[in-house]
Amino acid sequence: MNTIEKYFGKKELKPQKIEKRTVFLFLFQNKVYIEKHINPELLEGLYEYPSIEGHFTRNEIKYYLEEMGLYAPDVKRLESIKHIFSHKEYHLQCYAVPLLDTSVSLNSSFTGGKWVTLYELVTYYSLPSAFHRYTDCLNDYLI
């Protein structure tokens, strides 16, 4: 035991809380949907892709989208990533969701955020670093 440990003790590290989330890249007319991060104490001022708690299969996601009134026949699962913060570990899975329905702009699910082009996203909006790999995937979907 060294002197510091002798006087101050060795601090036991708490296990990080693991949070599983499913992220959506909603795509419509060469734009992606983003929304303001809702926790004002953490990552204030940043935008994010919509997400829900938990991990789901492609079929469960398609059903979830249908329940929202969205038509998305070509839902594609992207890579899963793990992002570690000092206090929390995120296990993220992501689905690219090209929307075909012209009523997207009328859907109440999209009233709190913005539809932006890839150029606007990378130029004017900041996203948490956990989402950067998914932003890179947008090159395959947006012009």
Side-chain angles (χ1 to χ4, degrees), residues 35-38 43-48 125-129:
E35 52 194 18
K36 196 84 158 163
H37 186 75
I38 55 173
L43 307 173
E44 185 175 7
L46 298 183
Y47 283 81
E48 63 186 4
Y125 298 95
S126 295
L127 277 74
S129 59

Side-chain angles (χ1 to χ4, degrees), residues 26-40:
F26 288 116
L27 310 163
F28 184 66
Q29 297 179 346
N30 287 317
K31 294 184 178 183
V32 63
Y33 183 78
I34 58 173
E35 52 194 18
K36 196 84 158 163
H37 186 75
I38 55 173
N39 185 345

Side-chain angles (χ1 to χ4, degrees), residues 102-111:
T102 55
S103 66
V104 167
S105 59
L106 303 176
N107 191 300
S108 62
S109 303
F110 300 111
T111 57

Side-chain angles (χ1 to χ4, degrees), residues 16-143:
Q16 289 180 318
K17 180 181 176 191
I18 294 176
E19 188 172 320
K20 294 180 179 182
R21 297 205 64 82
T22 297
V23 178
F24 297 100
L25 299 181
F26 288 116
L27 310 163
F28 184 66
Q29 297 179 346
N30 287 317
K31 294 184 178 183
V32 63
Y33 183 78
I34 58 173
E35 52 194 18
K36 196 84 158 163
H37 186 75
I38 55 173
N39 185 345
E41 299 168 4
L42 185 65
L43 307 173
E44 185 175 7
L46 298 183
Y47 283 81
E48 63 186 4
Y49 302 115
S51 65
I52 56 175
E53 192 170 330
H55 284 171
F56 303 93
T57 66
R58 183 176 178 274
N59 285 340
E60 289 171 325
I61 293 301
K62 288 183 85 166
Y63 179 77
Y64 173 77
L65 295 172
E66 287 172 11
E67 290 293 307
M68 290 173 59
L70 298 172
Y71 179 60
D74 193 26
V75 174
K76 182 178 179 191
R77 173 120 186 246
L78 304 178
E79 69 176 313
S80 295
I81 61 173
K82 180 169 40 171
H83 190 81
I84 301 172
F85 288 103
S86 59
H87 64 293
K88 194 180 286 190
E89 185 174 309
Y90 283 106
H91 292 200
L92 303 175
Q93 70 177 25
C94 184
Y95 288 91
V97 184
L99 299 170
L100 301 179
D101 191 16
T102 55
S103 66
V104 167
S105 59
L106 303 176
N107 191 300
S108 62
S109 303
F110 300 111
T111 57
K114 301 175 182 223
W115 290 97
V116 297
T117 65
L118 181 56
Y119 173 80
E120 292 168 332
L121 178 65
V122 299
T123 305
Y124 303 115
Y125 298 95
S126 295
L127 277 74
S129 59
F131 294 120
H132 288 183
R133 283 173 61 191
Y134 294 134
T135 300
D136 294 340
C137 293
L138 290 173
N139 288 318
D140 296 336
Y141 296 96
L142 303 178
I143 297 173

